[in-house]
Amino acid sequence: MTRGGRGLAVLSATACLALAACNGAPEVEATPSPTPSLTEIAVTSPSPTPSPTTTALTEEEVLAAIPEEARSEDFPGAVSFAEFFLIESQDVFVHQDIRLLKALSLPGCVYCENTVEAVQTMVDDGVTARGSKLTAATGAAQGGEQPDATWRVVMDVEISESDIFDDNERLIDTRAPQQATLTVVLELQGSGWRVVDVASQQA
């Protein structure tokens, strides 16, 4: 298999948020509104770096990256943080800088580990992505604090079409738009919200 082919295989298996196998997150039963209003969140697309840098972000850098509304320790804050994290977990396939994603994830997060592995394989194979914008129905989000002190945010998302290119800038695949209902499991740490795991159910 070619280098680009191997990268595409891993990308197909783990890069698509709606299809991610995130069995580490407990299932949460929810009844989201059948026609929630979707708010598009802009996703920047800087040029990919040659390889993910290993220099961890400082706590100050991580805090500065988190929107103000995603810092409050209540359900609206949890929803905003979950939305911010999900956007970053798609954006990372474009900019290929895994530092923020890792800083926002707790050890044992299956979804986070799969995403980091997929990005690293893309970098190794010279595979890049463009597009893949995520929109979240935050107004219809459900969940709250759980008996185990974690917080759950359940909401519908849509992911736009994305194009995959090899190291010669040749288009090798196009990922169709997707929809899913996601459960983001969060925990409050001293520095704020962190992700325990993400579970998905394809729409």
Side-chain angles (χ1 to χ4, degrees):
M1 184 177 290
T2 64
R3 292 190 307 139
R6 185 168 70 88
L8 181 58
V10 174
L11 182 66
S12 299
T14 60
C16 298
L17 180 59
L19 301 179
C22 310
N23 296 327
E27 293 184 3
V28 177
E29 187 172 330
T31 54
S33 173
T35 55
S37 174
L38 290 168
T39 302
E40 180 167 350
I41 306 301
V43 180
T44 58
S45 302
S47 300
T49 55
S51 63
T53 177
T54 57
T55 304
L57 297 176
T58 65
E59 187 171 328
E60 291 75 17
E61 289 174 322
V62 173
L63 184 62
I66 300 172
E68 186 69 32
E69 63 272 16
R71 302 177 192 176
S72 60
E73 299 181 358
D74 50 22
F75 187 61
V79 172
S80 294
F81 184 87
E83 177 187 43
F84 169 70
F85 177 83
L86 293 176
I87 291 170
E88 176 62 20
S89 75
Q90 284 297 293
D91 195 24
V92 71
F93 289 105
V94 177
H95 62 62
Q96 298 187 345
D97 184 343
I98 60 176
R99 295 178 298 166
L100 181 58
L101 189 77
K102 292 180 69 173
L104 300 176
S105 310
L106 290 176
C109 174
V110 176
Y111 173 76
C112 312
E113 293 170 354
N114 286 347
T115 301
V116 168
E117 179 184 353
V119 172
Q120 183 62 65
T121 301
M122 289 178 65
V123 171
D124 292 344
D125 291 356
V127 177
T128 56
R130 296 172 192 165
S132 194
K133 294 183 179 181
L134 183 141
T135 59
T138 55
Q142 299 183 29
E145 189 172 10
Q146 307 297 306
D148 62 359
T150 62
W151 290 66
R152 309 274 170 87
V153 177
V154 184
M155 59 187 173
D156 293 339
V157 303
E158 291 184 356
I159 304 168
S160 68
E161 178 179 283
S162 60
D163 294 324
I164 314 300
F165 297 85
D166 66 12
D167 51 4
N168 292 315
E169 287 293 303
R170 293 176 299 197
L171 180 66
I172 56 177
D173 194 29
T174 296
R175 307 301 301 176
Q178 299 178 54
Q179 297 179 336
T181 298
L182 302 184
T183 299
V184 184
V185 183
L186 304 173
E187 188 173 296
L188 278 169
Q189 301 282 312
S191 54
W193 298 104
R194 291 299 179 266
V195 176
V196 176
D197 221 326
V198 180
S200 66
Q201 178 180 344
Q202 187 177 12

